[in-house]
Amino acid sequence: MSKSRAFIPLLAFLALAGLFYFVLMKMGKGEYNPRDIPTEFIGRPAPSIDLPNLLDENDRVKSSDYAGKVWLVNVWGTWCPECWKEHEYLMHLSRQGVPILGIDWRDEKADAIDFLKQKGNPFVEVGFDPNSDAAIDWGVYGAPETFLIDAEGIVREKHAGALYPQVWQEKFAKYFHAQKPTE
Amino acid sequence: MIPEIGHFALVLALVLALIQSFFPLVGAQKGIASWVAIAKPVARLQLVFTALSFAFLTWSFLQSDFSVLYVATNSNTSLPTLYKVSGVWGAHEGSLLFWALTLSVWTTAVTLFGRSIPPIMMARVLGILGLLSVGFLMFMLFTSNPFDRLMPPPMEGKDLNPLLQDPGLALHPPLLYMGYVGFAIPFAFAIAAMLGGRLDAAWARWSRPWTQVAWVSLTLGIALGSWWAYYELGWGGWWFWDPVENASFMPWLAGTALMHSLAVTEKRGAFKAWTVLLAIFAFSLSLLGMFLVRSGVLTSVHAFASDPARGMFILMFLVTVVGGSLALYAVRASKVRSYVRFDLVSKESALLLNNVILVVACAAVLLGTLYPLLLDALNLGKISVGPPYFNAVFIPLTAPLVVLMGIGAMARWKRDSLENLWPKVRVSLVASVVFGVLYPIVVMQRFDWLAAVGMVLAFWVLFTTLKATKDQARGRGLGGLSLSHWGMVFGHIGIAFFIVGITLTSVYSTEKDLRLEVGESYEMGGYAFTFNGSTHLQGPNYSGDRGEVVITQNGEQITVLHPEKRNYRSGMPMTEAGIDAGLTRDLFVALGEPLGTEGAWSLRLYHKPYVRWIWLGALIMSLGGLLSAADKRYRVRARRTVAEKSPVGATV
């Protein structure tokens, strides 16, 4: 074996380790969190949504219908495994009466309808957003992302990544205590 | 007091691990016999203290001592005893202790079974394993001490993640860890051989049985996890290409390549440098998996609480272990010359190609797992690489591997020819095409190309393996075959079963989501599913609903299933599917949502042909691994080496 070839695995590994170091440093400084990216929209009025309704071609999903309520926007797609994982918990929340507006992002219409039929529909309404119209307005990085909008129409919280009970308790639950008992 | 003793035992274990690595390694290099001699006793003593520490943590769990932070966050008084015990390794700190314990157990096993190994080699192997122990123990003591106190202690602990409250999952992590840590043994042998400057067949022979046992643990661990996902998540799926699943699959692929490569190195003295590299890869990928899961750089259901400080420690450990060993490899491997020649058509070539495919497949999984991280870190956007990528890359890669399995088993070492091979495989080839095409038509009663291809491959493996066995047994009978040959037979037939399972399940499964009123029936796959309503359910730490579904075929009752929907105290909803398992089909019922006030529910019904064969295949493969590891060849040669053993001074 030639001398230089024997060094290839080492060099490849060092490059990989360099990437990990870079990521960890960014995480350590708080510049990067794979689970959560701060959004500029927190504390600002929610961008308006006007999308075709996934389940009803003649209807449109509008954010103005939610004025005066505390509600969630959940960005999802059938192509995203994390969305599958959080789905059961979203069902649980919707049974508790939490209103969730879904944005089906960069997805195939038939797949999305199938998914909701098979696994249940936790959303009050689902806007279909194949061209990222709403997603760009909301500054969405990836799916799933969940936003909380208060009764004044201000974005209060955002979570990137699947929604689990712990995250719910830490960030979202407090906004609903005033309205209704969770659990 | 008990937690403090446990903590202290851990500190002593660290001191012993330092001694276990320093003196034997230096002693072996400098030829100091007394330093070499302490390797074994110190390694065993280290096990005693690590085990004590583990026992004390387990004790704290059983006593529900919530003044220990780790116990308070992972256990509570209403938890059944089994899950109190499995809670010990259910989260980050305790699972690290389990890693350290497993490593100690493996190390001690090497001191007990490796009597034939020359003392210098043994000292180096134990020294390297000691260094690994130092890494794990320091990681635990500096960043993740499981014995940290919580003052004042809470009255009651948190709930253990309900996903983990399942007998299958209580065993899944320990088996996986045994596999990961087990790959440290061939790794240590490979490094020791490089340190000694002698990359001959000996190290390969010594590490083969250990590699096989580690591989068996990993196989069983992965299969158990997949089986659990199937019945617990209620999606009817068995593999999701989740980053953490991939983290266990990559060492498995590298380990599979290593097992085959070790065989070539041991028997023919070929691929010496390559085998060393694979031994480094298999263990490095285990460590990499640990880094990915515990540093929080990837998002996954499996993720432990993330902490960049821990991530940094594992990264340093990773760089030391992997970087160090690859640097040693770069220096030493360039001097290794394989003088062994083999022809293009030979068992060696088949095995080399097998290795290349497995490594490429492994690299593809690594790329798919890290690609989102890379993009994300460079601010190029967040993406999710899912099953479409992996299926598109993996299936075309592995199909040729399966074809090769048949040829490899049949081909001769060193030199073979197509003229010689053709008559041997001719019958198998025709038979597998005929049976493979007929099976979907006759048995499944619906032809499908994908099913036919899968079945042809499965029959091909079966027939060629049987034929190779028949040829081997000529003149000495089946009883004359070595256990190691039987290992190959079971390993490969396990793969055939596995292929049948995935092919027929993915092609012929039917599923239906529907609303059923109480008393209403639905017919699917020749079975009638009748929903008899649901009742309220109260468990020790959850409440929920329990449905009843009666399944009949041609008017005869087959079974009654009770799917459950549980809400755990922690607020996590869980689905417990009702499954009627069978060799040729599973009937699977999961509760969806309650609908209306009349007791109607949405239900998910699955008819899954041959899904059991996926796990049955894994079991058969594992049996193969065990048979091979038990081959008496390792012991016979071992005894011969004892007789030839030279005094310590002479080998240095």
Side-chain angles (χ1 to χ4, degrees):
Chain A
M1 186 184 290
S2 76
K3 188 117 193 153
S4 53
R5 242 184 21 190
F7 279 91
I8 296 173
L10 178 63
L11 294 177
F13 168 74
L14 289 178
L16 197 62
L19 167 72
F20 291 147
Y21 181 75
F22 177 69
V23 174
L24 284 176
M25 285 308 283
K26 284 182 87 173
M27 281 169 73
K29 285 190 215 148
E31 289 170 12
Y32 168 73
N33 181 345
R35 285 143 206 265
D36 212 0
I37 309 136
T39 174
E40 300 162 21
F41 295 89
I42 291 197
R44 294 210 205 152
S48 69
I49 298 172
D50 185 5
L51 288 171
N53 190 327
L54 176 74
L55 302 171
D56 181 359
E57 285 182 6
N58 305 317
D59 187 36
R60 291 194 76 80
V61 175
K62 289 184 180 160
S63 49
S64 49
D65 297 345
Y66 295 80
K69 280 188 209 168
V70 179
W71 54 293
L72 298 182
V73 170
N74 177 264
V75 182
W76 65 283
T78 53
W79 46 271
C80 136
E82 287 291 305
C83 305
W84 286 59
K85 283 170 197 158
E86 71 171 1
H87 188 267
E88 183 130 13
Y89 192 64
L90 293 184
M91 291 299 295
H92 172 76
L93 290 175
S94 104
R95 259 173 279 134
Q96 308 242 318
V98 175
I100 312 175
L101 186 154
I103 294 182
D104 180 30
W105 182 41
R106 290 187 356 200
D107 209 350
E108 296 291 333
K109 196 166 188 171
D111 289 352
I113 295 173
D114 247 26
F115 176 87
L116 294 180
K117 269 198 190 144
Q118 282 192 21
K119 292 176 59 78
N121 182 356
F123 306 112
V124 182
E125 288 180 296
V126 183
F128 184 53
D129 190 15
N131 305 319
S132 303
D133 297 332
I136 289 173
D137 291 345
W138 283 75
V140 171
Y141 278 84
E145 276 187 25
T146 306
F147 299 84
L148 182 137
I149 299 95
D150 71 6
E152 279 77 49
I154 307 290
V155 180
R156 287 296 172 196
E157 291 290 345
K158 180 197 153 181
H159 176 72
L163 198 57
Y164 290 123
Q166 199 191 347
V167 177
W168 178 261
Q169 290 305 333
E170 276 170 18
K171 292 168 101 174
F172 295 92
K174 53 182 183 255
Y175 296 94
F176 287 91
H177 282 321
Q179 289 199 320
K180 51 163 243 20
T182 24
E183 301 297 314
Chain B
M1 213 24 214
I2 293 289
E4 276 69 32
I5 302 175
H7 189 181
F8 187 61
L10 214 51
V11 176
L12 284 180
L14 174 62
V15 173
L16 288 166
L18 283 166
I19 297 173
Q20 182 197 329
S21 42
F22 180 78
F23 289 99
L25 280 177
V26 175
Q29 221 59 24
K30 303 221 180 245
I32 308 169
S34 60
W35 286 19
V36 165
I38 67 163
K40 279 188 186 181
V42 175
R44 290 173 188 166
L45 201 58
Q46 201 238 108
L47 170 66
V48 171
F49 283 98
T50 315
L52 266 181
S53 179
F54 190 81
F56 286 132
L57 186 62
T58 312
W59 177 258
S60 301
F61 265 87
L62 289 174
Q63 295 298 306
S64 289
D65 180 356
F66 297 130
S67 71
V68 177
L69 178 64
Y70 183 69
V71 178
T73 44
N74 291 289
S75 179
N76 60 66
T77 46
S78 61
L79 211 57
T81 307
L82 171 66
Y83 302 126
K84 280 185 185 160
V85 174
S86 69
V88 175
W89 56 76
H92 171 73
E93 288 84 352
S95 66
L96 260 184
L97 183 52
F98 193 88
W99 271 68
L101 176 68
T102 314
L103 182 57
S104 254
V105 170
W106 279 104
T107 307
T108 302
V110 172
T111 69
L112 293 176
F113 292 102
R115 295 217 180 91
S116 63
I117 300 166
I120 293 284
M121 179 74 178
M122 177 62 93
R124 288 202 171 104
V125 169
L126 295 182
I128 289 150
L129 291 170
L131 278 177
L132 297 175
S133 286
V134 169
F136 286 125
L137 292 168
M138 274 174 39
F139 185 24
M140 220 182 316
L141 287 168
F142 293 148
T143 73
S144 334
N145 183 1
F147 295 105
D148 274 345
R149 289 284 200 173
L150 178 65
M151 287 299 167
M155 289 304 293
E156 181 57 287
K158 272 195 211 163
D159 209 358
L160 178 71
N161 185 344
L163 285 168
L164 302 178
Q165 296 182 31
D166 181 275
L169 215 63
L171 277 176
H172 160 68
L175 278 169
L176 275 186
Y177 298 157
M178 268 176 65
Y180 292 149
V181 178
F183 284 138
I185 308 294
F187 171 82
F189 273 103
I191 303 294
M194 283 198 290
L195 283 176
R198 279 185 53 202
L199 279 181
D200 49 16
W203 83 270
R205 186 165 60 245
W206 291 321
S207 42
R208 262 186 93 184
W210 300 104
T211 311
Q212 283 155 348
V213 176
W215 181 87
V216 167
S217 312
L218 194 55
T219 308
L220 289 175
I222 296 174
L224 205 56
S226 147
W227 179 54
W228 165 84
Y230 168 74
Y231 70 75
E232 186 77 42
L233 295 180
W235 304 342
W238 51 275
W239 190 259
F240 302 96
W241 295 108
D242 176 276
V244 175
E245 283 177 342
N246 294 347
S248 67
F249 192 44
M250 289 187 287
W252 188 88
L253 288 169
T256 310
L258 175 62
M259 278 198 309
H260 290 92
S261 181
L262 276 171
V264 184
T265 306
E266 186 211 348
K267 287 196 176 132
R268 302 278 311 138
F271 307 170
K272 284 177 193 157
W274 174 245
T275 307
V276 167
L277 193 58
L278 280 178
I280 297 175
F281 279 171
F283 184 61
S284 302
L285 287 165
S286 304
L287 286 182
L288 179 76
M290 178 182 181
F291 170 77
L292 292 178
V293 180
R294 287 160 200 259
S295 64
V297 295
L298 290 179
T299 352
S300 155
V301 257
H302 296 74
F304 289 86
S306 71
D307 180 348
R310 285 178 189 164
M312 206 47 100
F313 192 100
I314 311 179
L315 185 59
M316 274 161 47
F317 186 46
L318 202 62
V319 170
T320 315
V321 174
V322 184
S325 48
L326 286 176
L328 183 64
Y329 170 83
V331 175
R332 289 289 157 96
S334 55
K335 298 200 185 80
V336 176
R337 294 269 183 286
S338 279
Y339 295 106
V340 188
R341 300 203 158 271
F342 54 88
D343 283 11
L344 186 62
V345 182
S346 64
K347 208 189 231 0
E348 284 94 329
S349 291
L351 284 165
L352 183 62
L353 206 52
N354 138 308
N355 268 237
V356 170
I357 297 177
L358 282 168
V359 170
V360 170
C362 183
V365 177
L366 183 67
L367 183 68
T369 311
L370 292 183
Y371 189 64
L373 174 71
L374 182 69
L375 283 193
D376 197 357
L378 299 174
N379 290 328
L380 294 173
K382 273 174 172 283
I383 60 154
S384 202
V385 175
Y389 163 81
F390 290 106
N391 290 340
V393 174
F394 211 75
I395 292 166
L397 264 177
T398 40
L401 186 62
V402 176
V403 175
L404 209 58
M405 274 169 65
I407 300 170
M410 210 82 87
R412 281 197 220 139
W413 290 107
K414 203 167 175 185
R415 173 175 301 165
D416 210 327
S417 65
L418 293 177
E419 295 79 44
N420 181 31
L421 270 174
W422 172 243
K424 288 194 203 165
V425 300
R426 199 166 44 191
V427 180
S428 305
L429 182 64
V430 174
S432 52
V433 170
V434 172
F435 279 89
V437 172
L438 283 181
Y439 201 89
I441 302 172
V442 177
V443 182
M444 307 308 293
Q445 307 201 334
R446 177 166 68 83
F447 183 76
D448 181 285
W449 274 109
L450 216 59
V453 170
M455 290 310 290
V456 168
L457 287 174
F459 277 116
W460 165 253
V461 172
L462 177 69
F463 291 143
T464 49
T465 308
L466 292 180
K467 167 80 172 141
T469 306
K470 192 179 147 219
D471 289 357
Q472 276 285 321
R474 188 167 299 147
R476 49 180 153 169
L478 284 178
L481 290 175
S482 66
L483 275 181
S484 140
H485 182 88
W486 286 114
M488 184 278 280
V489 170
F490 281 96
H492 287 190
I493 288 182
I495 295 276
F497 270 71
F498 177 75
I499 298 171
V500 171
I502 52 171
T503 309
L504 297 183
T505 303
S506 39
V507 174
Y508 294 104
S509 282
T510 41
E511 55 178 89
K512 182 76 189 168
D513 288 83
L514 72 173
R515 174 200 174 101
L516 284 182
E517 307 286 342
V518 177
E520 201 181 346
S521 289
Y522 184 79
E523 193 126 347
M524 185 171 82
Y527 298 92
F529 298 73
T530 311
F531 181 54
N532 280 348
S534 68
T535 49
H536 185 72
L537 180 73
Q538 189 61 51
N541 50 353
Y542 60 85
S543 60
D545 299 286
R546 185 165 188 259
E548 187 179 280
V549 175
V550 179
I551 298 175
T552 52
Q553 188 178 30
N554 304 326
E556 264 179 66
Q557 180 168 326
I558 304 283
T559 183
V560 182
L561 296 181
H562 293 104
E564 291 176 12
K565 188 106 187 169
R566 297 179 182 173
N567 280 303
Y568 280 82
R569 272 211 333 233
S570 53
M572 187 103 148
M574 289 285 303
T575 313
E576 299 276 324
I579 301 174
D580 182 46
L583 195 57
T584 58
R585 58 103 188 93
D586 268 22
L587 300 172
F588 183 114
V589 178
L591 275 183
E593 302 298 319
L595 301 170
T597 49
E598 306 289 307
W601 276 76
S602 74
L603 280 118
R604 212 170 312 149
L605 313 177
Y606 292 94
H607 174 238
K608 292 200 157 283
Y610 293 85
V611 67
R612 296 278 135 179
W613 288 47
I614 293 171
W615 307 297
L616 193 60
L619 274 180
I620 298 172
M621 274 180 239
S622 307
L623 178 64
L626 285 180
L627 286 177
S628 195
D631 196 316
K632 64 173 187 283
R633 199 157 47 93
Y634 299 120
R635 278 165 286 157
V636 171
R637 289 202 193 174
R639 244 174 259 132
R640 202 183 305 148
T641 340
V642 175
E644 290 164 0
K645 193 175 66 181
S646 46
V648 177
T651 15
V652 175

